[in-house]
């Protein structure tokens, strides 16, 4: 098999990755199936599956998993996540999904009657319902209409941030239905200036779009591990900006959210002092096997470098964009700075095209009137060319 664009080099230039070897070693099923549905569920690399199975083998006889090993593993999880997004481990709380972090933000940020939470229309519901639920406290959710293309209208969002009642901007880093990547630095600067909180649903971006919360400060960022992080269901995290941590009191608390609970010989010496770091947001007990798996996947992604992954994904779009231009098919996704690894097209017979792809063992998604192709770093230009060949005759 010939594979173009094979060698990925990390932005730091300290590692290379051969896509053909990656496929053979970590995703052996790619020889039979073209999987372009990472925006729905990312596959587990072989190394992650092996770690999960080994962990569960020990779990069957739990004396093989002493507390100190479990807690050392969670320390590693926070460290790896922090490295991925430019945060410090103290700012990372482990969580079971994205909704957890978004609900935490909705419930713990100091909001009052009359305040407005701003988001873009067509956001994924995980970033809508927790805010809608604040209605009974007199807090309004304002859905700012998208642009004609269906993307978040950043100019309008910025305009609305001038209203002092707007206390939160809650937005996805990458839109689930078209791959639009927000200009986080711009939104960050605007919220820093207005004093509104910036809350980010990052699940469609982290792992495929470079992100550095030092460069583009955000207040709360929520992310599940199940998509671009190639991690088990049940893994994820919430980032809370360091200075904000002491101000947020979680509505739901785990018993290890409090100081002094690391000493299991003195657990009934109750002290209601919440931890000073983001562990105050963790709902221990967590699905530890999932974090064992996540650690392995994160090491693989970090070893490649997210910048290199992003670059590779852009090269994968070329055949689809070329075909769409030639056949006058609408591309629902942006190109250029606001693009991500997700590319969506809307041919006239979407249902027929989707069925043809499925029949040819190409797995992708259909979302909001478009066919969503979401390749990851193990996909190849040849696979995308095959997609085009199928779309051409469907
Ligand atoms: C933007 C976005 N947010 C959140 C989720 C999922 O949220 P959770 O991790 O809570 O299931 C998805 C996809 O399922 C998504 O596309």
């Amino acid at each position: 098999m010939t594979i173009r664009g094979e060698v990925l080099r990390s932005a730091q230039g300290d590692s290379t990755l051969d896509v053909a070897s990656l496929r053979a070693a970590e995703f052996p099923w790619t020889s039979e199936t073209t999987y372009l549905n990472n925006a729905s569920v990312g596959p587990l690399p072989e190394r992650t599956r092996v770690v999960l199975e080994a962990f569960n083998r020990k779990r069957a006889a739990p004396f093989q998993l002493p507390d100190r090993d479990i807690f050392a593993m969670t320390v590693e999880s926070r460290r790896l996540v922090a490295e991925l997004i430019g945060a410090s481990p103290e700012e990372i709380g482990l969580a079971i999904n994205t909704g957890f972090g978004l609900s935490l933000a909705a419930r713990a940020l100091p909001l009052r009657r009359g305040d407005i939470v701003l988001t873009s229309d067509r956001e994924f519901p995980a970033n809508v319902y927790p805010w809608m639920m604040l209605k009974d406290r007199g807090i309004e959710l304002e859905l700012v209409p998208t642009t004609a293309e269906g993307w978040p209208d950043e100019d309008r969002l910025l305009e609305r941030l001038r209203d002092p009642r707007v206390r939160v901007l809650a937005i996805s880093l990458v839109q689930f239905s078209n791959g639009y990547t927000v200009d986080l630095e711009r939104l960050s600067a605007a919220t820093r200036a207005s004093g509104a909180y910036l809350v980010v649903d990052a699940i469609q971006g982290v792992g495929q779009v470079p992100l550095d919360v030092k460069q583009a400060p955000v207040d709360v960022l929520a992310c599940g591990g199940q998509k671009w992080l190639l991690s088990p269901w049940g893994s994820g995290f919430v980032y809370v900006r360091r200075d904000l941590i002491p101000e947020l009191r979680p509505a739901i608390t785990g018993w290890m959210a409090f100081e002094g609970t690391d000493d299991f010989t003195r657990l009934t010496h109750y002290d209601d002092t919440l931890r000073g770091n983001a562990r105050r947001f963790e709902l221990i007990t967590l699905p530890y096997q999932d974090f064992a798996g996540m650690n392995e996947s994160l090491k693989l992604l970090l070893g490649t470098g997210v910048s290199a992954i992003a670059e590779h994904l852009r090269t994968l779009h070329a055949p689809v964009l070329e075909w769409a231009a030639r056949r006058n098919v609408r591309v629902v996704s942006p190109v250029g700075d606001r693009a991500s690894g997700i590319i969506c097209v809307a041919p006239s017979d979407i249902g027929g095209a989707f069925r043809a792809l499925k029949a040819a063992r190409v797995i992708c998604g259909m979302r909001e009137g478009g066919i969503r192709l979401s390749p990851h770093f193990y996909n190849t230009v040849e696979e995308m060319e095959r997609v085009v060949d199928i779309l051409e005759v469907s």
Side-chain angles (χ1 to χ4, degrees), residues 1 20 35 60 70 125 143 161 170 207 222 234 236 272 280 316 336 350 352 362 384:
M1 181 168 44
Y35 190 76
I70 297 285
L143 296 172
L161 277 169
D272 67 354
R280 67 164 54 190
L316 298 183
I350 292 180
V362 175
M384 301 306 274

Side-chain angles (χ1 to χ4, degrees), residues 6-10 13-18 303-304:
E6 316 82 340
V7 180
L8 302 180
R9 237 168 264 281
S10 83
D14 55 3
S15 70
T16 57
L17 195 134
D18 177 337
T304 307

Side-chain angles (χ1 to χ4, degrees), residues 260-334:
T261 45
D262 288 323
D263 183 352
F264 285 7
T265 65
R266 295 164 53 87
L267 287 174
T268 57
H269 291 237
Y270 311 121
D271 171 0
D272 67 354
T273 311
L274 283 160
R275 287 181 195 272
N277 59 33
R279 285 182 65 194
R280 67 164 54 190
F281 308 118
E282 290 183 353
L283 273 183
I284 298 282
T285 300
L286 286 163
Y288 295 123
Q289 68 284 347
D290 301 330
F291 289 93
M294 183 183 84
N295 287 0
E296 209 53 28
S297 293
L298 293 190
K299 282 186 245 168
L300 177 61
L301 293 169
L302 285 165
T304 307
V306 177
S307 301
I309 293 172
E311 216 172 288
H312 179 65
L313 298 184
R314 298 287 178 107
T315 68
L316 298 183
H317 290 180
V320 179
L321 291 173
E322 187 272 322
W323 166 79
R326 187 161 40 83
R327 301 303 300 238
N328 207 18
V329 170
R330 189 163 78 88
V331 179
V332 183
S333 308

Side-chain angles (χ1 to χ4, degrees), residues 39-40 96-100 102 123-127 172 174-176 201-204 223-227 372:
S40 184
I96 58 164
N97 56 29
T98 321
F100 174 85
L102 296 169
E123 276 284 308
F124 191 82
N127 188 33
S172 291
V174 171
Q175 290 291 308
F176 80 102
D201 174 341
I203 190 171
Q204 291 292 5
C223 184
Q226 68 267 32
K227 300 182 192 287
R372 183 177 71 178

Side-chain angles (χ1 to χ4, degrees), residues 165-231:
R165 292 172 303 162
V166 173
R167 299 297 303 136
V168 178
L169 169 59
I171 192 98
S172 291
L173 177 58
V174 171
Q175 290 291 308
F176 80 102
S177 61
N178 53 43
Y180 181 97
T181 310
V182 290
D183 185 345
L184 201 62
E185 280 190 43
R186 186 179 179 215
L187 298 180
S188 171
T191 48
R192 295 318 83 178
S194 79
Y197 296 104
L198 178 56
V199 177
V200 178
D201 174 341
I203 190 171
Q204 291 292 5
V206 181
Q208 64 128 333
V209 168
L211 172 68
D212 186 339
V213 294
K214 282 194 295 298
Q215 211 172 314
V218 308
D219 294 294
V220 179
L221 181 142
C223 184
Q226 68 267 32
K227 300 182 192 287
W228 300 93
L229 297 184
L230 310 175
S231 296

